[in-house]
Amino acid sequence: MNTNNKIGEFLGKTNSSSNYGIKYWHHIVFWLVYFIFNTVRWSSIHNDFLYSLKTNLIGFPIHMMLAYFNVYYLMPKFVYKQKYLLYGLGIFGSLVIMLLVKFNLTYYLVSNDVMPEGQEETNSITFAYSVTTMIGEVYVMSFFTAIKLTIDWLRESSKLHDLERRQLKTELRFLRSQVSPHFFFNTLNNIYSLTLEKSDKAPEVILKLSELMRYLLYATKKRRQDLTNEIECIQNYIDLERIRFDDTLKIDIHISGNLNGCSIAPMLLVPLVENCFKHGASKNIGQMKININLEVEDGQMTFKISNNIPNADRATNFPTRSGGIGLSNVKKRLELGYDDSDYDLSIFEEDQMFNVILKLKVI
């Protein structure tokens, strides 16, 4: 590590993109402003600007050495390792050394009266002089340390938030892409069967699968997608499933309202549709019914989807599937991608039908 890097590390300079990094000029400005303020303050107290200037020229290097010694050596070495007694001894020892240095420099370079604000002349290290001087140094050290710790806390907090945002983005992308692989395997098997039969449906099925996969690959990278694209994806999904279930499946779809300008988190509705096939149609004996109703009014979408409960589940009083992977996916994505006031999700069973109602702000 070269000298510049060591100095940068010592002064807290980072290569991070954080807004709370400490630069060289921050240190310079801080001490310069504090020096001017202290010089003016003490010149008004003593009514002697030259004396104030001299004492501050002596005192400030001592302030700075103590402040940096505390923040960059004593605290990392002892406080962060919970060695508080050693830290206290280190502080006391550094204050004693500071007291001796400051007294002698003031006495020999400025004035024999090292504490003119006292009631009588002070030309030796008295108890009053020691306490007053040490308290002053502790004040400066505490002020500097408080600023440094606050900036460090803000920087770490910013890093934590950045990490959380990256994790949320990663988790959202993962959740968006969670469409059952069984669906693709079944669709490929259907395509294989159609090609063996040399059916005219094969090209259409391949095209729909291609469009669905394109949507999964590209739309999921966006935070929001046009609602019309999500509906088209659902339609392709349903058309592909129709091939597998044929006449045993009855689907009613109703879409109403003005969809222009409406957006939604991509792949948010598809798991709800997939859930009907996974837990309904694939288990049902007899005709399977799925009802889908999507309505947009005043910037709010109401998406209702229901399927009849499989016969086997009715006989065993199978509980509501509120904890299924698809529904858990939707719940998690709503929590991550929307404010609580922007959506309402209801899951319930009624009249031998499993129902999901999602009300969502789409503008």
Side-chain angles (χ1 to χ4, degrees):
M1 184 182 291
N2 59 36
T3 304
N4 290 334
N5 289 338
K6 289 182 178 179
I7 295 174
E9 181 180 348
F10 174 75
L11 293 178
K13 183 178 179 181
T14 64
N15 294 324
S16 170
S17 59
S18 171
N19 295 327
Y20 302 105
I22 302 177
K23 305 287 194 305
Y24 298 122
W25 65 270
H26 291 149
H27 294 265
I28 295 172
V29 170
F30 170 79
W31 289 113
L32 182 60
V33 170
Y34 192 23
F35 176 83
I36 294 173
F37 169 78
N38 221 41
T39 301
V40 173
R41 182 170 71 94
W42 282 104
S43 67
S44 64
I45 293 174
H46 299 303
N47 197 25
D48 188 341
F49 178 80
L50 185 60
Y51 176 84
S52 177
L53 179 62
K54 289 180 179 179
T55 54
N56 276 288
L57 286 173
I58 291 174
F60 259 78
I62 297 174
H63 294 334
M64 294 172 66
M65 284 188 289
L66 280 176
Y68 286 117
F69 181 64
N70 175 54
V71 168
Y72 293 104
Y73 181 77
L74 291 179
M75 291 186 67
K77 190 173 183 62
F78 300 119
V79 175
Y80 298 160
K81 298 178 181 179
Q82 299 182 347
K83 299 178 180 178
Y84 302 117
L85 179 60
L86 292 175
Y87 174 72
L89 292 175
I91 288 290
F92 181 75
S94 61
L95 287 174
V96 171
I97 294 173
M98 169 278 306
L99 177 66
L100 295 174
V101 171
K102 187 172 184 179
F103 171 81
N104 285 282
L105 289 175
T106 305
Y107 184 85
Y108 291 108
L109 298 180
V110 181
S111 171
N112 292 336
D113 186 2
V114 295
M115 194 170 67
E117 65 271 20
Q119 295 180 353
E120 57 185 26
E121 182 178 340
T122 303
N123 52 21
S124 62
I125 300 179
T126 64
F127 179 77
Y129 173 76
S130 300
V131 172
T132 301
T133 304
M134 285 186 175
I135 289 176
E137 294 299 335
V138 169
Y139 167 77
V140 176
M141 291 169 60
S142 301
F143 184 50
F144 181 83
T145 302
I147 294 175
K148 179 62 168 60
L149 291 178
T150 300
I151 293 175
D152 286 347
W153 179 83
L154 290 172
R155 183 167 58 241
E156 292 304 315
S157 179
S158 177
K159 289 180 180 178
L160 179 61
H161 288 316
D162 288 340
L163 179 60
E164 288 177 346
R165 281 193 292 268
R166 287 195 295 268
Q167 289 176 334
L168 286 176
K169 287 180 180 179
T170 302
E171 187 173 359
L172 278 171
R173 287 180 181 176
F174 173 72
L175 290 171
R176 290 169 186 169
S177 61
Q178 276 190 336
V179 174
S180 174
H182 297 293
F183 164 75
F184 289 105
F185 291 140
N186 290 331
T187 302
L188 289 173
N189 286 333
N190 291 332
I191 293 173
Y192 177 71
S193 299
L194 291 173
T195 53
L196 288 179
E197 297 171 3
K198 298 182 179 179
S199 172
D200 294 336
K201 294 181 179 180
E204 181 183 354
V205 173
I206 294 173
L207 179 61
K208 288 184 178 296
L209 181 61
S210 173
E211 291 174 351
L212 180 60
M213 292 183 68
R214 184 182 297 108
Y215 185 78
L216 293 177
L217 288 172
Y218 297 107
T220 54
K221 296 180 181 180
K222 300 179 181 179
R223 182 173 176 270
R224 293 287 186 268
Q225 180 63 264
D226 289 343
L227 181 57
T228 53
N229 292 337
E230 183 80 1
I231 294 173
E232 183 180 355
C233 177
I234 291 174
Q235 186 62 60
N236 287 332
Y237 183 95
I238 291 173
D239 289 343
L240 290 171
E241 288 285 21
R242 284 183 191 272
I243 299 171
R244 180 156 64 110
F245 293 99
D246 202 14
D247 295 334
T248 62
L249 178 65
K250 180 181 178 182
I251 302 180
D252 291 327
I253 303 177
H254 298 283
I255 299 174
S256 61
N258 184 9
L259 307 184
N260 294 330
C262 297
S263 60
I264 189 174
M267 296 299 297
L268 184 64
L269 302 181
V270 174
L272 299 178
V273 178
E274 182 192 17
N275 196 68
C276 290
F277 288 95
K278 183 178 180 181
H279 296 285
S282 61
K283 295 182 179 181
N284 196 67
I285 299 176
Q287 190 175 56
M288 183 63 192
K289 296 180 181 179
I290 297 177
N291 300 317
I292 299 175
N293 190 300
L294 188 149
E295 180 183 2
V296 176
E297 184 176 357
D298 297 330
Q300 178 174 280
M301 177 199 73
T302 301
F303 182 78
K304 300 179 182 179
I305 184 167
S306 61
N307 62 272
N308 54 337
I309 300 173
N311 296 329
D313 290 349
R314 295 183 200 172
T316 58
N317 294 319
F318 194 79
T320 300
R321 300 182 308 277
S322 58
I325 295 176
L327 297 178
S328 298
N329 181 315
V330 173
K331 289 179 181 178
K332 187 68 172 178
R333 291 196 55 206
L334 288 170
E335 292 172 1
L336 294 175
Y338 290 91
D339 294 331
D340 292 341
S341 59
D342 290 341
Y343 71 91
D344 179 69
L345 180 65
S346 301
I347 303 171
F348 58 95
E349 290 183 9
E350 186 178 60
D351 298 331
Q352 301 301 320
M353 298 289 289
F354 183 79
N355 303 274
V356 178
I357 300 177
L358 173 62
K359 296 180 179 180
L360 180 68
K361 183 178 179 181
V362 290
I363 293 181

